[in-house]
Amino acid sequence: MAALTELEHTGAARRELDSAPFLVAARGGRPSRLPVWFMRQAGRSLPEYRALRAGTGMIQACLDPELTCEITVQPVRRHGVDAAILFSDIVVPLYLSGIGVDIVAGVGPVVARPVRTAADVEALPTLHPEQVTPVTDAIRLLLGALGETPLIGFAGAPFTLASYLVEGGPSRNHEKTKALMHSAPEVWHALLARLAESTSVFLRAQIAAGVDAVQLFDSWAGALSERDYRSYVAPHSAAVLGPLAAAGIPRIHFGVGTGELLGAMSEVTDVIGVDWRIPLDEAARRAGGTHPVQGNLDPAVLFADAASIEAEVRRIAGEGRSAPGHVFNLGHGVLPETDPDVVTRVVDLVHTLPVR
């Protein structure tokens, strides 16, 4: 931990963006306009992204600072969103630490050697701050390129990373993951503790480099009951997010299908990301009525007619006014076939809507 503390004191000076609508809303204040950004806004829906990425693997693109900078800025330039999110992937810290993982087109993250025993966990390398240099170099480029647009750093949560490591890749039912969790809890907790340590290094390095907020993605946490989440997952997410409160920047926690977990998730974060399966006003209530919310337009709605999209955007904005703050977003990532012009029109509409 001493190395991390030292790292935090050697980072770039953070930009003064106190009036940025995204940051105001994320802190529960009243922004000048309803802020909006989209998960996976920098990606396959943009033709300029596809042209830039041609011939370059996903992980390799994430580790090229100039490429990362340009990809991160593209949706800000095109759509006028109120925040940029660092172009990266949740398995990047695994790759940087020396774990054999690749992102296979059409499949997702694939692990060369699955982790299922105590010996496997003991053999896992951990991430060191100096290994994050390609990412922090990109952040420093972005601080100049983004002007007054806030930059969100991110990482994958320990549970979701563990699910890839245990299953060896994406899984529909997470059967090997849940079996390990229940059959060998000591191995499970050792694995998540190891992953929490690397995730903390990854996020602290981003904060030191100057990001304005962080988001922790627990993509697969919705596969768990609240009991299992609290017993097997929440302590490790708290180990990541809790100490980051000292940085003084908003912490966002998001998972898919986590409506039943929002109360537990809200205990370790500032902002609750909400998918489309639960109304924002109900999500705010389940989080205790004390947390700003982020979300939650169904990404598939962007394929509907203009009147239907507008109705859904207005409904969600209305529900969001029941929370202390609202950052408009999708309930998951932009789908690859989405028309970018539709995304831009949604941004323009959101910016006309009243805030709490």
Side-chain angles (χ1 to χ4, degrees):
M1 191 63 70
L4 296 180
T5 303
E6 181 181 352
L7 175 66
E8 289 170 351
H9 288 291
T10 60
R14 188 163 285 102
R15 296 170 296 164
E16 295 293 334
L17 301 176
D18 290 344
S19 62
F22 163 74
L23 293 174
V24 173
R27 291 183 170 120
R30 182 179 176 85
S32 59
R33 66 187 187 192
L34 182 59
V36 52
W37 70 277
F38 301 99
M39 288 179 282
R40 293 185 187 154
Q41 65 185 15
R44 295 167 292 175
S45 66
L46 299 182
E48 57 266 41
Y49 166 83
R50 294 194 296 268
L52 195 61
R53 268 282 318 279
T56 303
M58 178 65 181
I59 291 180
Q60 288 65 41
C62 295
L63 300 181
D64 181 325
E66 293 186 355
L67 192 57
T68 293
C69 179
E70 172 59 19
I71 292 172
T72 302
V73 172
Q74 284 178 346
V76 178
R77 187 185 299 132
R78 177 186 272 263
H79 303 309
V81 288
D82 294 288
I85 186 163
L86 180 69
F87 176 72
S88 190
D89 189 271
I90 63 171
V91 301
V92 164
L94 302 181
Y95 180 89
L96 289 174
S97 70
I99 295 172
V101 61
D102 196 11
I103 300 173
V104 179
V107 178
V110 175
V111 177
R113 298 182 62 181
V115 176
R116 296 169 185 164
T117 68
D120 293 338
V121 174
E122 184 63 28
L124 281 177
T126 55
L127 187 67
H128 300 285
E130 61 272 14
Q131 293 173 308
V132 190
T133 298
V135 176
T136 56
D137 284 349
I139 291 170
R140 293 186 177 99
L141 290 175
L142 281 161
L143 298 184
L146 285 170
E148 297 184 354
T149 301
L151 175 62
I152 304 168
F154 85 91
F159 172 76
T160 290
L161 295 178
S163 73
Y164 284 117
L165 289 177
V166 175
E167 302 289 341
S171 172
R172 182 184 298 272
N173 299 310
H174 308 280
E175 57 266 35
K176 295 182 178 64
T177 302
K178 292 182 179 182
L180 178 65
M181 180 190 301
H182 288 280
S183 301
E186 69 288 349
V187 176
W188 173 260
H189 286 296
L191 172 59
L192 263 68
R194 183 72 63 96
L195 292 172
E197 181 180 352
S198 289
T199 301
S200 294
V201 170
F202 194 53
L203 287 176
R204 286 172 182 264
Q206 294 179 50
I207 292 170
V211 299
D212 305 291
V214 292
Q215 177 156 316
L216 189 68
F217 286 84
D218 212 348
S219 305
W220 307 131
L224 300 173
S225 68
E226 183 184 6
R227 178 186 293 112
D228 284 352
Y229 178 81
R230 286 188 177 276
S231 296
Y232 297 108
V233 176
H236 303 286
S237 294
V240 174
L241 286 170
L244 300 185
I249 65 174
R251 301 164 299 162
I252 309 165
H253 200 9
F254 171 76
V256 180
T258 52
E260 299 302 321
L261 308 180
L262 293 177
M265 294 175 71
S266 69
E267 295 171 5
V268 297
T269 192
D270 304 309
V271 181
I272 284 290
V274 185
D275 79 354
W276 67 92
R277 295 170 176 86
I278 180 173
L280 281 184
D281 50 0
E282 174 61 15
R285 186 192 69 78
R286 294 187 186 190
T290 56
H291 287 62
V293 295
Q294 179 176 278
N296 68 340
L297 180 67
D298 186 338
V301 169
L302 295 177
F303 294 83
D305 63 278
S308 298
I309 295 172
E310 179 174 347
E312 284 294 283
V313 170
R314 290 183 180 276
R315 175 186 63 78
I316 290 165
E319 292 171 352
R321 288 195 285 275
S322 67
H326 177 207
V327 175
F328 196 97
N329 207 307
L330 299 181
H332 201 195
V334 178
L335 298 171
E337 298 81 14
T338 305
D339 183 348
D341 292 339
V342 172
V343 175
T344 302
R345 289 197 292 271
V346 168
V347 173
D348 292 342
L349 173 59
V350 169
H351 284 162
T352 69
L353 301 178
V355 298
R356 172 182 170 134

